[in-house]
């Protein structure tokens, strides 16, 4: 798989006014006094085209040039006085600045001027390209069909009449896929100054092919582009090595400002998340009527990796998905920086943007498109995703050329598909979802008529207050609608429908009234009322239709809501483990429920490392392990000890968690390649055997705590797939990490988690896949929230030593429902109910077993633990929860749940406090 990575050269964001950028300062410190370097000077004053909204484009262009010329006058006069000490001088007006080549002393003098904001070197941005297979793609390609572009062609929309562009490595305009649609004269070469279009690298031809290659429903084969009827122009600002100087990029921005392109694709960026080097360029493009689309970057999957300009709130940043609608491992994630101007809401195109990046996602993995020489090749990266959004903009503009940027942006986001594995939306993986061209096209307003679109959907009045539909809840749905047409929509009657068998709508109508052109409104005074069936599996997506019937016409606007969180949804992470050796190999993980710590194995060392159990994963030291190449670890709540196993000695040790001292040991029955153990705190230890021979049958052993074991074939077979195990006390099942390799055992094919149960072990049917680039190893169940910690030593072949927490298969309290039937205690009761000063909890046990009693409020927040998990004798038991003093704080009135947990499951009883 190709990975297109944009390598950072700038080392920090913009500094204070009138200074030398730190990157340049480092260069100057080593620069001989007589040597000259090229620099870029940004002036303090910047033109604001937003102050002249009714001006024509030529008037705006003239204003930018006049403003910059006047502002730069004194600086230019000073530079001219220096004669030949200044070389390669060029003024800019796309932003107010200049570039020139000179010596250190002059650079320092310029930086001290009060009209100068900052001075920076002419830095480089590098496209890191690994090209895939040369293949003749099918017609149309999978990206075209998954984003429904071909349905737009069927309706007659191909981008005809729209001019698209890209800033890239150039374009081989004579490639047959382009059908002669290059606009003569629409070419600028900032690198070599050639007057004839060319591409000496390949990246630019590939991206332009995904924008507009092919001929739609015509005879040409294959169809690789979203807008095959659009004409195109191009600027070359990256050379044959995929390297682009900042001055080349600025020059290309400025050239495009004077052209007639409606939308420009930028499949490049900077991994510096806070630099504003191209901020004013993008602002001025927007005010000149150019839609800026940018790749979000390929520095994922960590949070806060979205690069610039893609993470600007003023551009459409695009993430990459694969053919299964999974977000690509390399795709950079938000949030955007928590600082100005990102936090300045005047730049937000939606009131709920709040630094979410990407804005939208599109196909970017194994995308086939044109390359110089007349062929086709697969490439991967957000570089391949941004062109699909660029083509979609062309389709929308063909239907209505008068659309402004805000309308285009919101139509794309509001009508994106939302794959269930990415829920809830919006998020910093997918943004508002994966591009759907056809849905967006249908939402475009045309002519002198009203066009009412659905802008946002909010869940309100839900039982646990988390703003999401959960199993067993009742809630309200508020829809924000907007009339994007040119005429009023009269007497709008809204009706909510659903095809979901998991949803019942109890109040389906609302009278929105008359909506003037451009206005918005909601049904917040009277939300639609819905209820979610208690048996709904978490992660199910419910489809809704909002029927808006006005006097003029009727619109049907579809939306979807995820019920709860799907298993495998990321809760937090991946996060690097602080202090974990860079030469180590992160493997198994276990949760110390008494000490509230997680312990992880270092397979390349003789230590167990200890971390906090929260998302900060704070380091708390190490203990000595009984073996090197330690594979897995399992916690025993029964006696507050650990069981561990290792590769070298192929044994299972019971150890003291404080010192690592061995208390007992026996041979691991998985003696070929032991990789996983899990203790269920009752009778057995399950052991996984990966096997050393590629393709050998994966084995599973069920052992007692003395090593007496029975052998079974693992219920899931594959190449080197078996990894670590954990016991899920809510599901009363085992969960196992699986990493499947290809048939040669050299490349990771996919990764995921399966649930197994019973003797012999058998799959329950529950499973989920994770990021295909994650080489996952360890897994542990968190009894507090039902989720799983998973360890990731490698991502796409790079050592990372990270941990991620994902949604589990079973939640301790699904929707905070009352549930009395899932655990072994008998006669479980809570009284009096309602309660005033105390709550009594009574139950009987048939045999000795570990229990825990916890109190939660209606939002799911832990209020009190009356009994930490420990063994309780058989017979009748009663506990008392005193309401006047809850750990020093009086218990407020409200609804609470008493949760009784055992190793066999949980049971919850609702009680009401009315003090």
């Amino acid at each position: 798989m190709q990975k297109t990575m944009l390598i950072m050269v700038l080392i920090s964001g913009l500094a204070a006014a009138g200074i030398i950028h730190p990157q340049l300062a480092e260069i100057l410190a080593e620069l001989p006094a007589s040597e000259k370097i090229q620099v870029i000077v940004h002036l303090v004053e910047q033109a604001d085209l937003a102050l002249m909204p009714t001006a024509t484009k030529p008037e705006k262009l003239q204003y930018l040039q006049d403003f910059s010329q006047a502002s730069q006058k004194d600086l230019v006069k000073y530079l001219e006085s220096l004669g030949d000490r200044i070389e390669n001088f060029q003024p800019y007006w796309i932003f107010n600045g200049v570039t020139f080549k000179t010596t250190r002393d002059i650079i320092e003098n310029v930086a001290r001027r009060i009209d100068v904001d900052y001075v920076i070197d002419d830095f480089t941005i590098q496209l890191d390209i690994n090209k895939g297979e040369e293949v003749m793609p099918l017609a149309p390609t999978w990206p075209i069909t998954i984003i429904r572009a071909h349905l737009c062609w069927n309706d007659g929309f191909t981008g005809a009449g729209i001019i698209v562009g890209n800033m890239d490595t150039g374009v081989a305009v004579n490639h047959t896929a382009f059908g002669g649609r290059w606009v003569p004269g629409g070419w600028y070469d900032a690198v070599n100054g050639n007057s004839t279009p060319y591409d000496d690298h390949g990246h630019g031809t590939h991206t332009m092919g995904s924008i507009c290659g092919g001929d739609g429903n015509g005879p040409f084969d294959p169809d690789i582009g979203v807008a095959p009827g659009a004409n195109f122009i191009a600027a070359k600002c990256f050379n044959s090595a995929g390297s682009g100087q900042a001055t080349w990029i600025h020059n290309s921005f400025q050239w495009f400002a004077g052209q007639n392109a409606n939308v420009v694709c930028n499949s490049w960026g900077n991994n510096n998340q806070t630099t504003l080097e191209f901020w004013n360029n993008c602002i001025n493009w927007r005010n000149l009527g150019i839609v800026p689309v940018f790749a979000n970057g390929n520095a994922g999957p960590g949070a806060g990796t979205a690069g610039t300009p893609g993470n600007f709130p003023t551009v459409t940043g695009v993430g990459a998905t694969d053919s299964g609608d999974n977000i690509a491992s390399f795709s950079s994630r938000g949030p955007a920086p928590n600082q100005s101007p990102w936090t300045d809401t005047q730049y937000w195109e939606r009131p709920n943007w709040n630094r979410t990046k990407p804005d939208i996602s599109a196909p970017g993995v194994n995308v086939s498109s044109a390359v110089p020489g007349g062929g086709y090749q697969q490439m991967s990266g957000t570089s391949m995703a941004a062109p699909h959004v660029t083509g979609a903009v062309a389709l929308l503009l063909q239907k209505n050329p008068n659309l402004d940027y805000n309308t285009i942006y919101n139509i794309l986001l509001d009508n994106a598909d939302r794959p269930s594995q990415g829920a809830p939306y919006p998020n910093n993986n997918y943004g508002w979802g994966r591009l759907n061209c056809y849905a967006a096209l249908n939402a475009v307003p045309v002519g002198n008529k009203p066009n009412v679109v659905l802008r946002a959907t909010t869940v309100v009045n839900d039982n646990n207050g988390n703003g999401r539909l959960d199993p067993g809840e009742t809630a309200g749905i508020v829809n924000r609608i907007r009339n994007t047409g040119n005429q009023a929509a009269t007497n709008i009657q809204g009706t909510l429908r659903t095809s979901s068998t998991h949803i019942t709508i109890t109040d389906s109508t609302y009278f929105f009234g008359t909506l003037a052109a451009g206005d918005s409104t909601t049904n917040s005074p009277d939300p639609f009322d819905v209820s979610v069936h208690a048996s709904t599996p978490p992660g199910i997506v419910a489809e809704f239709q909002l029927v808006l019937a006005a006097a003029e016409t009727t619109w049907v606007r579809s939306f979807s809501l995820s019920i709860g969180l799907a298993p495998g949804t990321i809760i937090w992470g991946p996060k690097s483990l602080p202090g974990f050796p860079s030469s180590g190999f992160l493997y198994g993980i276990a949760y110390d429920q008494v000490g509230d710590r997680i312990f992880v194995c270092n397979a390349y060392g003789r230590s167990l490392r200890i971390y906090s159990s929260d998302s900060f994963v704070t380091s708390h030291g190490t203990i000595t392990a009984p073996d090197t190449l330690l594979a897995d670890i399992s916690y025993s709540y029964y006696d507050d000890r650990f069981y561990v196993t290792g590769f070298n000695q192929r044994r299972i040790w019971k150890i003291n968690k404080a010192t690592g001292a061995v208390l007992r040991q026996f041979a691991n029955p998985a003696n070929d390649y032991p990789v996983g153990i899990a203790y269920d705190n009752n009778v057995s230890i399950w052991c996984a055997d990966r096997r050393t021979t590629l393709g050998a049958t994966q084995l599973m052993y069920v052992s007692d705590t003395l090593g007496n074991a029975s052998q079974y074939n693992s219920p899931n077979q594959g190449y080197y797939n078996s990894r670590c195990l954990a016991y899920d006390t809510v599901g009363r099942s085992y969960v196992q990490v699986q990493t499947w390799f290809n048939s040669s055992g050299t490349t990771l094919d996919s990764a995921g988690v399966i649930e197994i149960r019973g003797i012999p072990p058998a799959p329950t049917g529950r499973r989920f896949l994770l990021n295909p680039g994650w080489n996952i190893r360890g897994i542990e169940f968190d009894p507090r929230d039902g989720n799983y910690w998973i360890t990731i030593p490698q991502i796409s072949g790079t050592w990372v030593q990270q941990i991620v927490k994902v949604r589990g298969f079973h939640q301790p309290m699904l929707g905070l429902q009352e549930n009395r039937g899932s655990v072994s205690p008998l006669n479980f009761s809570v009284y009096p109910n309602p309660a005033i000063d105390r709550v009594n909890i009574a139950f009987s046990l048939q045999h000795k077993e570990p229990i825990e009693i916890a109190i939660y409020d209606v939002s799911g927040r832990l209020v009190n633990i009356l009994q930490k998990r420990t063994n309780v004798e058989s017979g009748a038991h009663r506990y008392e929860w005193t309401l006047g003093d809850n750990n020093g704080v009086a218990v407020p009135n409200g609804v609470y749940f008493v949760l009784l947990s055992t190793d066999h499951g949980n049971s919850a009883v609702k009680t009401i406090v009315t003090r």
Side-chain angles (χ1 to χ4, degrees):
M1 179 182 74
Q2 171 183 326
K3 184 175 179 182
T4 306
M5 180 170 287
L6 307 174
I7 299 179
M8 177 182 72
V9 176
L10 284 124
I11 61 170
S12 68
L14 295 187
I19 72 163
I20 292 173
H21 191 282
Q23 171 76 15
L24 176 57
E26 289 188 6
I27 296 172
L28 295 181
E30 304 292 331
L31 189 73
S34 60
E35 186 173 333
K36 297 178 179 179
I37 62 169
Q38 193 79 23
V39 294
I40 302 170
V41 179
H42 289 251
L43 274 70
V44 172
E45 294 182 329
Q46 294 292 329
D48 186 1
L49 291 178
L51 299 176
M52 43 192 311
T54 62
T56 65
K57 183 173 181 178
E59 289 171 339
K60 291 180 179 180
L61 289 171
Q62 190 62 53
Y63 173 74
L64 286 176
Q65 295 169 40
D66 293 345
F67 180 95
S68 296
Q69 184 178 19
S71 177
Q72 296 166 14
K73 183 177 180 180
D74 290 343
L75 174 60
V76 171
K77 183 178 180 180
Y78 166 69
L79 296 174
E80 288 176 342
S81 71
L82 299 174
D84 61 5
R85 297 191 65 187
I86 301 296
E87 301 175 9
N88 298 337
F89 172 81
Q90 178 190 344
Y92 287 109
W93 47 262
I94 189 62
F95 72 99
N96 187 16
V98 299
T99 182
F100 53 84
K101 188 175 184 179
T102 192
T103 53
R104 180 178 62 211
D105 58 332
I106 295 176
I107 294 170
E108 292 170 344
N109 287 337
V110 169
R112 284 191 283 265
R113 293 177 59 92
I114 61 172
D115 55 350
V116 169
D117 186 2
Y118 71 98
V119 186
I120 192 170
D121 60 299
D122 186 13
F123 60 89
T124 302
I125 289 179
Q126 179 69 43
L127 303 175
D128 183 11
I129 305 298
N130 295 311
K131 299 176 182 178
E133 297 181 57
E134 295 185 10
V135 293
M136 178 65 74
L138 299 174
T141 59
W142 73 263
I144 295 300
T145 57
I146 202 170
I147 65 176
R148 303 295 188 262
H150 62 303
L151 300 181
C152 301
W153 309 340
N154 294 342
D155 286 357
F157 295 98
T158 62
I162 305 302
I163 297 176
V164 299
N166 71 2
M167 283 171 47
D168 214 299
T169 62
V171 180
V173 298
N174 293 324
H175 195 293
T176 54
F178 296 125
R181 285 177 289 107
W182 171 63
V183 178
W187 167 254
Y188 175 70
D189 183 358
V191 179
N192 299 310
N194 291 344
S195 59
T196 302
Y198 67 102
D199 182 2
D200 52 6
H201 182 277
H203 188 265
T205 302
H206 196 281
T207 59
M208 189 63 81
S210 293
I211 299 172
C212 61
D215 67 351
N217 290 333
F220 180 81
D221 206 15
D223 291 313
I224 53 176
V226 176
N231 294 324
F232 67 92
I233 63 177
K236 179 178 175 63
C237 52
F238 290 86
N239 63 18
S240 60
S243 178
Q245 297 297 121
T247 50
W248 301 345
I249 295 171
H250 281 303
N251 288 340
S252 297
F253 266 111
Q254 188 158 288
W255 178 79
F256 259 113
Q259 305 304 306
N260 293 321
N262 304 95
V263 55
V264 178
C265 179
N266 298 269
S267 289
W268 57 271
N270 193 318
N271 283 346
N272 184 333
Q273 287 82 39
T274 58
T275 179
L276 297 174
E277 180 65 23
F278 302 109
W279 174 268
N280 288 305
N281 306 48
C282 294
I283 290 285
N284 287 329
W285 261 15
R286 283 272 307 276
N287 285 315
L288 291 168
I290 300 172
V291 176
V293 178
F294 277 86
N296 211 46
N298 304 312
T305 53
T308 56
N311 73 11
F312 290 173
T314 54
V315 308
T316 302
V318 186
T321 55
D322 64 16
S323 59
D325 266 343
N326 302 299
I327 197 71
S329 60
F330 56 76
S331 188
S332 293
R333 272 67 160 175
N338 188 20
Q339 64 187 60
S340 182
W342 288 268
T343 54
D344 190 339
T345 57
Q346 70 170 308
Y347 298 115
W348 294 11
E349 297 301 328
R350 306 172 66 94
N352 64 336
W353 179 71
N354 199 23
R355 302 185 294 119
T356 300
K357 283 289 175 174
D359 302 281
I360 195 170
S361 298
V365 178
N366 294 332
V367 173
S368 294
S369 189
V371 289
Y376 299 85
Q377 197 165 28
Q378 287 185 347
M379 295 188 188
S380 297
T382 57
S383 283
M384 284 62 252
H388 292 102
V389 174
T390 304
V393 173
L395 299 177
L396 305 190
L397 286 171
Q398 180 189 359
K399 188 173 182 181
N400 186 342
N402 297 316
L403 297 178
D404 62 11
Y405 176 84
N406 179 269
T407 302
I408 293 170
Y409 176 86
N410 281 288
I411 285 175
L412 290 174
L413 272 57
D414 288 339
N415 295 281
D417 286 341
R418 294 171 176 84
S420 59
Q421 61 265 46
Y425 292 91
N427 57 64
N428 288 303
N429 297 321
Y430 291 78
W432 270 261
R434 193 258 303 132
L435 174 68
N436 184 323
C437 296
Y438 194 59
L441 185 70
N442 287 333
V444 171
V446 292
N448 292 321
K449 59 180 69 173
N451 186 64
V452 180
V453 299
L454 177 62
R455 268 291 160 84
T457 298
T458 307
V459 175
V460 299
N461 304 329
D462 51 318
N463 297 135
N464 60 19
N466 64 3
R468 187 180 65 238
L469 295 181
D470 287 311
E473 280 195 321
T474 59
I477 293 178
V478 172
N479 295 122
R480 174 174 290 277
I481 61 174
R482 183 186 181 194
N483 182 3
T484 63
N486 300 318
Q487 299 293 326
T490 310
N491 297 331
I492 305 169
Q493 177 72 39
T495 303
L496 186 67
R497 299 174 180 170
T498 184
S499 56
S500 174
T501 59
H502 303 285
I503 300 289
T504 299
I505 301 176
T506 55
D507 180 3
S508 63
T509 60
Y510 181 79
F511 183 68
F512 287 97
T514 297
L515 197 58
D519 280 356
S520 299
T521 189
T522 74
N523 63 314
S524 57
D526 182 18
F528 299 118
D529 293 331
V530 302
S531 61
V532 186
H533 301 176
S535 60
T536 305
I540 288 291
V541 176
E543 301 292 341
F544 293 88
Q545 300 80 41
L546 178 62
V547 181
L548 299 165
E552 295 78 12
T553 188
T554 297
W555 302 270
V556 178
R557 303 307 187 195
S558 299
F559 65 95
S560 60
L561 293 173
S562 179
I563 309 302
L565 293 179
T569 301
I570 293 176
I571 305 300
W572 54 256
K575 290 193 173 183
S576 297
L577 290 177
F580 198 94
S582 58
S583 60
F585 188 176
L586 180 61
Y587 230 94
I589 178 173
Y591 175 51
D592 168 10
Q593 298 178 33
V594 173
D596 192 23
R597 295 282 187 265
I598 53 175
F599 286 63
V600 297
C601 300
N602 177 10
Y604 285 175
R606 201 181 188 107
S607 66
L608 288 166
R609 304 195 70 88
I610 309 168
Y611 296 92
S612 63
S613 66
D614 53 31
S615 61
F616 297 104
V617 285
T618 306
S619 177
H620 288 281
T622 65
I623 62 172
T624 302
D627 193 12
T628 55
L629 294 179
L630 207 62
D632 203 6
I633 179 171
S634 186
Y635 180 68
S636 168
Y637 200 108
Y638 180 81
D639 52 8
D640 197 23
R641 301 288 190 265
F642 283 120
Y643 287 96
V644 295
T645 191
F647 299 149
N648 280 348
Q649 301 181 48
R650 289 165 167 76
R651 299 187 69 77
I652 294 175
W653 296 271
K654 189 174 187 179
I655 65 171
N656 184 296
K657 72 175 189 180
T659 64
V662 174
L663 306 175
R664 186 157 51 85
Q665 59 178 295
F666 52 89
N668 190 331
N671 58 12
D672 185 5
Y673 199 136
V675 288
I677 60 171
Y679 177 52
D680 66 4
N681 281 325
N682 188 12
V683 294
S684 57
I685 299 175
W686 284 33
C687 309
D689 196 333
R690 192 194 97 168
R691 312 302 300 281
T692 54
T693 301
L694 180 65
T697 301
Q698 309 285 283
L699 299 177
M700 188 80 68
Y701 295 86
V702 180
S703 171
D704 62 21
T705 56
L706 299 176
N708 303 306
S710 298
Q711 176 183 309
Y712 306 95
N713 288 346
S714 177
N716 286 271
Q717 296 293 324
Y719 295 107
Y720 287 164
N721 62 301
S722 288
R723 290 293 183 265
C724 295
L725 288 159
Y727 184 67
D728 185 325
T729 61
V730 176
R732 289 170 286 173
S733 58
Y734 292 84
V735 288
Q736 185 178 30
V737 165
Q738 304 274 314
T739 52
W740 292 273
F741 282 74
N742 62 4
S743 58
S744 64
T746 57
T747 303
L748 182 64
D749 177 74
S750 55
V753 174
I754 65 166
E755 182 185 50
I756 51 182
R757 184 187 290 138
I759 300 295
T764 66
R766 296 185 182 93
R767 62 174 61 211
F768 57 79
L769 292 177
L770 292 167
N771 191 302
W774 291 358
N775 192 350
I776 57 179
R777 298 303 170 106
I779 184 169
E780 175 63 309
F781 170 76
D782 187 343
R784 302 168 302 179
D785 56 20
N787 299 322
Y788 305 142
W789 290 285
I790 293 174
T791 63
I792 314 171
Q794 288 180 312
I795 294 179
S796 299
T798 300
W799 291 98
V800 294
Q801 319 297 359
Q802 293 182 339
I803 186 171
V804 65
K805 197 170 192 184
V806 302
R807 192 71 160 179
F809 291 118
H810 310 278
Q811 297 303 298
M813 301 184 72
L814 293 178
L816 295 176
Q817 305 166 66
E818 188 170 10
N819 176 5
R820 300 170 183 255
S822 61
V823 297
S824 58
L826 304 175
N827 303 319
F828 179 28
S829 61
V830 174
Y831 61 94
N833 198 357
I836 298 175
D837 58 354
R838 64 178 52 83
V839 173
N840 298 297
I841 298 108
F843 58 90
S844 298
L845 296 177
Q846 291 181 309
H847 52 79
K848 180 179 179 180
E849 61 181 308
I851 69 161
E852 181 179 275
I853 302 174
I855 312 296
Y856 293 83
D857 66 17
V858 73
S859 71
R861 181 181 62 88
L862 178 64
V863 175
N864 202 342
I865 297 180
L866 298 183
Q867 170 69 60
K868 288 188 174 182
R869 187 177 296 269
T870 190
N871 275 322
V872 174
E873 298 293 338
S874 61
H877 299 274
R878 188 178 74 86
Y879 290 77
E880 183 177 277
W881 178 30
T882 303
L883 302 177
D885 184 12
N886 179 48
N887 293 330
V889 179
V891 178
N893 292 345
V895 177
Y896 295 86
F897 289 84
V898 180
L899 182 67
L900 177 60
S901 304
T902 77
D903 287 340
H904 303 287
N906 302 316
S907 183
V909 173
K910 181 169 66 177
T911 185
I912 299 173
V913 174
T914 57
R915 301 184 63 250

